[in-house]
Amino acid sequence: MRTVLANQLSNVRVVSTDGREVGTLQNITIDTATGELQTIVISSEVQEIFGVERDSDGDIRLPASLIESMRDHLTIQPPAEQSVTGGDTVDS
C-alpha cells in the first residue's frame, strides 16, 4: 500500500468508479487508538451521494472503506447497495 501524507489530501478531487464527480476531499477522520482511517469528509455541490445527505456543516461523510485508489484524485467505489448507514459502515 502506498503512503500518502495527510497534507496531500486536502482539496483533492473525489470521483466514483462509475464516473460520477463526487466533490472535493475536505478532511478525514482517524481512529486514534488504531490509526485506522474511518471517514472521508467531502465538500460537494450535490445534496447526497450513495444515499448519504449533507451534514449540518454542509459536507458529505462517507466511510473510508469506499476508497478504491489515490492518484491525482481520490477514487471511491459505490456501495453494492445504495445504503451507507451512520457514515461508518456499508450494507452489503
Side-chain angles (χ1 to χ4, degrees):
M1 182 156 119
R2 182 170 83 118
T3 300
V4 178
L5 299 175
N7 68 351
Q8 294 175 315
L9 295 173
S10 183
N11 296 313
V12 168
R13 196 171 116 237
V14 180
V15 297
S16 65
T17 56
D18 63 0
R20 286 189 261 183
E21 286 284 335
V22 177
T24 304
L25 185 64
Q26 293 301 308
N27 214 337
I28 58 174
T29 61
I30 297 174
D31 181 323
T32 56
T34 65
E36 188 173 322
L37 183 61
Q38 291 184 319
T39 308
I40 55 176
V41 182
I42 301 168
S43 172
S44 181
E45 297 295 318
V46 298
Q47 186 61 34
E48 61 87 25
I49 187 77
F50 308 144
V52 177
E53 293 188 5
R54 291 182 189 185
D55 62 15
S56 60
D57 295 326
D59 296 318
I60 295 176
R61 296 174 184 269
L62 295 173
S65 61
L66 298 181
I67 296 174
E68 183 76 20
S69 67
M70 171 67 192
R71 290 191 172 72
D72 62 332
H73 61 275
L74 185 68
T75 305
I76 60 174
Q77 177 72 41
E81 295 181 14
Q82 296 295 315
S83 176
V84 178
T85 58
D88 294 327
T89 60
V90 177
D91 296 332
S92 52

